[in-house]
């Protein structure tokens, strides 16, 4: 691989990371979905779900987060193209938001199927409340999660260089 190809590849990764950071800074729903994904992952690890179950849950989380990133891209592109409200612009935004809703709904159903069977809710509750030393860090993590999600979003979008 030549230096210019490597530089191009690295630039692609840089742009992708910039997009992720943009969504973290400006999209409350992305932050909420990211926190849910982290809690789902922690629950899967704590309950020692099978590799297949954990992989399915991670795939669902990735699907929802990816849908939210694409929704943000559609919204930004529509806003760039349409300075005034237009029915087609609204329809495009609504369709993209519907894609996120559908992905989140399916992910939630799969999560309920994975976590809601075979006594897993009782096992998770028993694990949490088995030691007072576990409750305080979990409560702290829950508070930090809420702050992360509900802190005001930056609405500034940098112009592309």
């Amino acid at each position: 691989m030549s230096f210019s190809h490597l530089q191009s590849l690295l630039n692609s990764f840089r742009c992708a990371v910039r997009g992720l950071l943009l969504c973290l800074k400006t999209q409350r729903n992305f932050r909420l979905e990211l926190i849910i994904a982290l809690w789902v992952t922690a629950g899967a690890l704590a309950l020692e779900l099978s590799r297949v179950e954990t992989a399915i849950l991670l795939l669902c989380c990735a699907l929802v987060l990816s849908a939210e990133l694409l929704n943000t891209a559609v919204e930004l592109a529509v806003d760039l193209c349409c300075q005034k409200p237009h029915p087609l612009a609204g329809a495009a935004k609504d369709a993209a938001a519907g894609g996120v809703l559908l992905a989140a709904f399916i992910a939630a159903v799969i999560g309920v199927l994975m976590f809601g069977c075979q006594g897993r809710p009782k096992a998770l509750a028993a694990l949490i409340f088995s030691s007072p030393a576990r409750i305080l860090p979990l409560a702290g993590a829950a508070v930090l999660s809420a702050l992360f999600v509900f802190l005001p979003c930056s609405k500034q979008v940098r112009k592309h260089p």
Side-chain angles (χ1 to χ4, degrees), residues 52-121:
V52 171
E53 290 172 315
T54 302
I56 290 169
L57 288 170
L58 290 174
L59 188 59
C60 287
C61 293
L63 174 67
V64 172
L65 291 168
S66 296
E68 189 65 54
L69 288 163
L70 291 171
N71 179 51
T72 300
V74 167
E75 288 181 356
L76 292 172
V78 167
D79 289 346
L80 177 65
C81 294
C82 300
Q83 301 302 319
K84 297 178 185 175
H86 190 281
L88 290 177
K93 287 182 169 188
D94 290 348
V100 177
L101 182 63
L102 179 62
F105 177 76
I106 296 300
V109 168
I110 291 171
V112 167
L113 292 172
M114 296 289 187
F115 286 113
C117 66
Q118 301 171 353
R120 288 180 177 161

Side-chain angles (χ1 to χ4, degrees), residues 10-90:
L10 290 175
N11 191 46
S12 295
F13 281 115
R14 194 174 306 118
C15 291
V17 169
R18 192 169 51 226
L20 288 170
L21 292 175
L22 171 77
C23 281
L24 273 174
K25 285 192 238 178
T26 65
Q27 303 300 311
R28 184 192 68 238
N29 289 347
F30 184 78
R31 293 196 309 247
L32 174 62
E33 292 151 358
L34 181 62
I35 288 296
I36 291 170
L38 292 172
W39 281 99
V40 165
T41 303
L45 295 174
L47 289 175
E48 298 177 349
L49 298 186
S50 73
R51 286 182 181 179
V52 171
E53 290 172 315
T54 302
I56 290 169
L57 288 170
L58 290 174
L59 188 59
C60 287
C61 293
L63 174 67
V64 172
L65 291 168
S66 296
E68 189 65 54
L69 288 163
L70 291 171
N71 179 51
T72 300
V74 167
E75 288 181 356
L76 292 172
V78 167
D79 289 346
L80 177 65
C81 294
C82 300
Q83 301 302 319
K84 297 178 185 175
H86 190 281
L88 290 177

